[in-house]
Amino acid sequence: MTENAQQQPSAPPTELPTQYAPADVEGPLYERWVERGYFEADAKSDKPPYTVVIPPPNVTGSLHLGHAFEHTLIDALTRRKRMQGFETLWQPGMDHAGIATQNVVERELGKEGKSRHDLGREAFVERVWQWKGESGGQISGQMRRLGDGVAWSRERFTMDEGLSQAVQTIFKRLYDDELIYRAERIINWCPRCLTAISDIEVEYQDDDGELVSMKYGEGDDTIVVATTRAETMLGDTAVAVHPDDERYQHLVGKEIRLPLTNRSIPVVADTHVDPEFGTGAVKVTPAHDPNDFEIGQRHNLPSLTIMDEHAVITAHGPFQGLDRLEARSAIVAALRAEGRIVAEKRPYVHSVGHCSRCKTTIEPRLSMQWWVKVGPLAKAAGDAVRDGRVKIHPQEMEKRYFDWVDNLHDWCISRQLWWGHRIPVWYGPNGEVVCVGPDDEAPTGEGWHQDTDVLDTWFSSGLWPFSTLGWPEQTESLAKFYPNSVLVTGYDILFFWVARMMMFGLYAMDGTPPFHTIALHGMVRDQFGKKMSKSFGNAVNPLDWMDKYGSDALRFTLARGANPGVDVPIGEDWVQGSRNFANKIWNATRFALMNGATVDGPLPDAGKLSATDRWILSRLNSVVAEVDALYEDFQFAKLSDTLFHFAWDEVFDWYVELSKTTFMAGGEPAKVSGRVLGEVLDVTLKLLHPIVPFVTETLWTTLTGGESVVVAQWPKDSGFRDAAAEKEIESLQSVITEVRRFRADQGLQPGQRVPARLTLDGTPFAAHEAAVRQLLRLQPEGEDFSATATLPVAGATVALDLSGTIDVAAERKRLAKDLAAAEKEKAQAGAKLGNEAFLAKAPDNVVDKIRTRLAKADEDIARIQSQLDRLPQA
């Protein structure tokens, strides 16, 4: 069962306070764990490795409820593996979060009336490092509050010296392998952040806009196009139609006049155009639309950039200097004045891309940027899952992964920022381009300068599983802890982060993927299933709930809702319920300690155990096996629920209650049950520990005298099963439950004693009579005992004398009234459901409600009739 008695020195139990106060326990306990080095990982250890990296939170912020959820799951996995004897590394760290961090510091400068340009690049970057030093500690403090068992001595930051070396190394290798290149392409441009952003950093939402149809050309050479971005017509260099569209055959190859300009543009034929959509003709603006750029490449069209980085019009003419939205209105007005507006639709709801950082509308823009050629890298990332080297859990998420990596476009990795890993490329006075690795000397001399752009944040975080272990150096940690055992992360960053790590890990580590398993979880939502957001007013600071109910309560609530890949609803009432569970564990352990629960010595032989003892030990081993299987399948919700019901229902509400008479009687049976109860609590607290570490640590060390449950041995299923004892106690539970229900139905008070005769002879219940009478408040039958109600249950018979305890006549009258009401409800519901005309017209939800009413009425009739049948005759 456990080897605790042999492994840990036993000590006299310390008396527990009457109430559990998380605030008094959690902080000191966590610091004790850290001081003792329980969470550190030794690369020289002979133990098998178990490695998980933290999805590095942005240094800009604080932990939200989603972080608390994810950290709870990872902490549960690593705490269990540590107890199982693995050399466990949970790698902590933070991401420098390029755009987000630069925005924060720029806002701080704005309060001083300054911009980053006032400081200059070097001074601004120094200012960001200063801000990071002041604000970065907030996250680590919150992680400690939550109980995160991370190896703090190994904490990394994506801009620290070691990770910077890793970034420069892999950039150089990719560049030399011609997998990084510089080219002018259409990118997503944020006019607020003044940088390119990748496709996955664009958030699309439905906005109210306008759809304007306008006429190009003159006379027979007229053609109508429609657009939601009228301002871009200043950059049009063609109109495209489908080559098979007979309507426009006479125009293909001709030049037509572009309104409001002094230019003529060609009509080209291109299969990209859908002849069934709109007029079947589209304006082509190669410098400001990704699809138009591709058309322009196929037809050798010029690309005219008509906006600057602030989305201000630069094209010569009356619209120069206007913001894009101002220009849009002005251009539509000018076209209207020329009679060229054919139709206007407002509002026109359409999907518009926004910067995920600042929510500004994205502007597609032709720009010279650095790119990763992802074709071979993405293929390797897809193959690693297809051939089974990497498992995605739950498996149904594989399709989303393949949909992404199999259709991945080249990745724009340059950002026009100052905060981040600067691109290690130098340009010479005569057009030279030199990529510099970490061991290379950068070119010097007149005319040489480094590229001003920095790398996308996801470039450095994509190296996280191996850069944090010392790569490119071949360190002991890299050899021991790579690849990671599992990646636990949200399905929402499957594309942002997971795919990047897969591509870089396979490339840098000679085809070895960065992890064996990708375990995807859902998003935390409010109790109504709505996304949590400050703008919705339903966002929750996890610290508030931890302050109010304790960290264990929050953790247990989150784990209990964690079904793989599924969103997690959470409400404060549920956290309060988990707090009640922690209190239940506390109070039950106090009772056990006061009644002789112990872990001293081996368990007694089965022959000395009562049926109740054998039942709980059998169930205990079944739960150990079940919890282990659920952990391996990342079924946190199911294993949490299993432990909740086993601890609360079976251990505390049944075993402890059934054993009270044994403890009160004393003697050898009490000692045996005390040892069994100690064993059950020892194992149960260990099983609960990964999810609720604080309360279990306090209780386990008090119960066992052991050093810490953090480093205790994880329970193993001994194989002990006793089907006969399980069946016996299940039948006994049926008896007790049925009599309790009958008492409640008859309106008896919980503490009200009733004379009873128990016919248990010939059943296995005879040994439990004292416990049954205690639990059911049944006093011995007297000389004038008269069985007014008899309950045959599970092979036993319980005869009750209710004379003098209830007014039978009044009770019959009350029940008869209830029965009549239930029968009337049944008749009304049945009549409606039997009415064909009603069923034909009524909505489905109304019909369903009536069916539910009918079923409820049937249940009520059966219940009330049963109560009447059991009452003695008046």
Side-chain angles (χ1 to χ4, degrees), residues 654-778:
W654 282 110
Y655 180 74
V656 168
E657 292 298 321
L658 287 170
S659 300
K660 280 183 177 178
T661 53
T662 302
F663 288 130
M664 287 188 289
E668 187 62 23
K671 291 181 181 178
V672 170
S673 290
R675 178 65 189 93
V676 170
L677 181 53
E679 181 79 6
V680 172
L681 286 175
D682 173 23
V683 173
T684 302
L685 292 171
K686 287 177 179 176
L687 293 174
L688 284 165
H689 173 73
I691 300 173
V692 285
F694 295 107
V695 68
T696 52
E697 170 80 338
T698 306
L699 296 175
W700 187 86
T701 52
T702 303
L703 171 72
T704 68
E707 178 189 346
S708 171
V709 71
V710 176
V711 291
Q713 186 179 48
W714 182 255
K716 294 179 181 178
D717 175 10
S718 71
F720 176 81
R721 299 291 191 278
D722 192 323
E726 289 195 36
K727 183 178 180 181
E728 179 175 336
I729 299 305
E730 286 171 7
S731 297
L732 184 63
Q733 289 171 332
S734 297
V735 172
I736 293 170
T737 301
E738 185 63 25
V739 176
R740 280 176 171 167
R741 183 183 297 116
F742 177 76
R743 287 179 56 107
D745 288 344
Q746 305 311 316
L748 297 175
Q749 295 301 312
Q752 189 174 357
R753 292 196 167 274
V754 178
R757 176 186 299 140
L758 307 183
T759 306
L760 303 175
D761 295 337
T763 73
F765 305 150
H768 303 290
E769 180 165 352
V772 171
R773 287 190 178 277
Q774 174 67 24
L775 289 172
L776 294 175
R777 302 296 187 267
L778 302 179

Side-chain angles (χ1 to χ4, degrees), residues 10 41 48 84 174 190 306 416 520 599 627 636 712 746 773 838 857:
S10 181
Q84 286 182 315
L174 289 164
C190 177
I306 52 97
Q416 290 63 57
L520 298 172
V599 295
V627 167
F636 296 98
Q746 305 311 316
R773 287 190 178 277
F838 170 78

Side-chain angles (χ1 to χ4, degrees), residues 359-586:
K359 311 309 177 186
T360 301
T361 299
I362 289 300
E363 191 63 45
R365 187 169 188 258
L366 186 63
S367 179
M368 183 67 74
Q369 301 286 344
W370 285 94
W371 304 80
V372 171
K373 185 185 295 182
V374 300
L377 302 175
K379 182 181 183 304
D383 289 346
V385 175
R386 286 189 170 96
D387 64 25
R389 282 175 289 158
V390 178
K391 305 288 186 185
I392 293 180
H393 192 279
Q395 190 174 1
E396 54 264 29
M397 287 287 182
E398 282 186 3
K399 183 180 184 302
R400 297 182 65 175
Y401 177 78
F402 292 135
D403 285 347
W404 178 255
V405 297
D406 292 347
N407 299 284
L408 204 55
H409 299 295
D410 284 1
W411 172 19
C412 178
I413 56 172
S414 45
R415 299 291 180 267
Q416 290 63 57
L417 303 170
W418 288 357
W419 171 244
H421 294 282
R422 194 164 174 180
I423 288 176
V425 172
W426 270 254
Y427 305 104
N430 298 311
E432 301 95 333
V433 179
V434 177
C435 181
V436 176
D439 299 323
D440 301 332
E441 290 290 332
T444 57
E446 187 176 352
W448 284 92
H449 65 279
Q450 186 178 358
D451 197 301
T452 57
D453 288 353
V454 301
L455 287 163
D456 178 11
T457 296
W458 298 103
F459 190 95
S460 52
S461 60
L463 315 181
W464 192 248
F466 51 94
S467 63
T468 52
L469 298 173
W471 188 90
E473 300 299 323
Q474 297 304 304
T475 63
E476 287 183 318
S477 290
L478 188 64
K480 177 74 174 179
F481 296 113
Y482 187 92
N484 285 196
S485 305
V486 62
L487 173 73
V488 179
T489 192
Y491 63 71
D492 57 316
I493 58 173
L494 183 62
F495 317 131
F496 286 85
W497 189 44
V498 179
R500 311 302 192 207
M501 287 188 290
M502 286 286 284
M503 290 191 296
F504 283 164
L506 288 158
Y507 173 79
M509 299 300 292
D510 300 320
T512 302
F515 16 73
H516 297 302
T517 302
I518 301 168
L520 298 172
H521 59 71
M523 311 291 289
V524 177
R525 297 182 177 272
D526 71 14
Q527 64 197 82
F528 305 108
K530 190 174 183 180
K531 180 180 177 181
M532 284 192 171
S533 166
K534 290 181 180 178
S535 60
F536 294 156
N538 63 349
V540 174
N541 183 343
L543 288 177
D544 293 341
W545 282 352
M546 287 192 278
D547 288 342
K548 196 169 182 180
Y549 302 110
S551 298
D552 285 332
L554 176 62
R555 289 171 60 115
F556 193 74
T557 304
L558 291 167
R560 205 172 177 194
N563 290 297
V566 179
D567 288 346
V568 182
I570 184 172
E572 186 169 358
D573 288 351
W574 306 343
V575 185
Q576 186 174 352
S578 295
R579 187 271 314 272
N580 295 343
F581 179 52
N583 289 340
K584 183 78 171 182
I585 302 169
W586 184 272

Side-chain angles (χ1 to χ4, degrees), residues 216-351:
Y216 287 7
E218 307 289 348
D220 292 340
D221 293 346
T222 297
I223 195 166
V224 175
V225 297
T227 182
T228 58
R229 300 163 66 218
E231 69 279 8
T232 63
M233 61 88 59
L234 299 176
D236 286 358
T237 57
V239 171
V241 298
H242 194 276
D244 298 332
D245 194 334
E246 295 181 358
R247 292 173 295 176
Y248 303 115
Q249 291 287 334
H250 67 291
L251 289 176
V252 174
K254 284 190 175 183
E255 299 261 337
I256 61 173
R257 178 172 172 256
L258 179 67
L260 307 182
T261 70
N262 293 318
R263 294 190 290 116
S264 291
I265 58 176
V267 177
V268 299
D270 195 281
T271 54
H272 170 76
V273 180
D274 179 1
E276 302 298 324
F277 184 77
T279 63
V282 297
K283 58 191 287 300
V284 182
T285 320
H288 293 278
D289 183 274
N291 294 320
D292 293 2
F293 177 79
E294 298 295 333
I295 295 175
Q297 293 290 100
R298 288 193 288 273
H299 298 276
N300 297 314
L301 300 173
S303 296
L304 303 180
T305 299
I306 52 97
M307 287 183 221
D308 66 13
E309 64 269 26
H310 298 281
V312 172
I313 301 298
T314 57
H316 293 296
F319 310 108
Q320 186 175 11
L322 294 180
D323 171 81
R324 57 182 166 170
L325 298 182
E326 296 172 334
R328 184 175 299 171
S329 299
I331 286 170
V332 171
L335 289 168
R336 191 183 298 113
E338 287 192 5
R340 290 188 172 273
I341 298 297
V342 175
E344 297 178 69
K345 184 176 181 181
R346 297 187 187 88
Y348 178 72
V349 179
H350 62 132
S351 181

Side-chain angles (χ1 to χ4, degrees), residues 108-234:
E108 292 298 313
L109 283 174
K111 296 175 184 177
E112 303 170 16
K114 298 178 181 178
S115 73
R116 61 181 163 122
H117 300 286
D118 294 324
L119 271 66
R121 183 166 191 150
E122 187 175 336
F124 176 76
V125 171
E126 185 178 336
R127 178 72 175 262
V128 180
W129 275 107
Q130 178 186 342
W131 178 88
K132 185 263 179 185
E134 294 169 355
S135 302
Q138 182 178 3
I139 289 174
S140 61
Q142 291 171 318
M143 289 169 63
R144 285 173 158 84
R145 280 292 311 277
L146 192 64
D148 287 2
V150 298
W152 286 112
S153 68
R154 293 172 173 267
E155 186 174 11
R156 304 303 297 269
F157 179 54
T158 52
M159 286 279 286
D160 68 28
E161 184 177 351
L163 270 66
S164 294
Q165 183 184 24
V167 167
Q168 199 170 352
T169 298
I170 201 163
F171 187 99
K172 171 70 171 171
R173 290 188 186 179
L174 289 164
Y175 181 87
D176 290 346
D177 287 344
E178 298 184 348
L179 293 173
I180 282 183
Y181 63 94
R182 191 167 185 246
E184 192 174 42
R185 298 261 187 93
I186 291 285
I187 48 90
N188 302 299
W189 181 264
C190 177
R192 160 62 185 80
C193 298
L194 297 180
T195 182
I197 63 174
S198 66
D199 292 343
I200 53 179
E201 292 172 302
V202 178
E203 294 179 349
Y204 288 91
Q205 65 183 49
D206 288 340
D207 286 356
D208 285 344
E210 62 181 4
L211 181 66
V212 179
S213 297
M214 47 197 182
K215 185 166 53 178
Y216 287 7
E218 307 289 348
D220 292 340
D221 293 346
T222 297
I223 195 166
V224 175
V225 297
T227 182
T228 58
R229 300 163 66 218
E231 69 279 8
T232 63
M233 61 88 59
L234 299 176

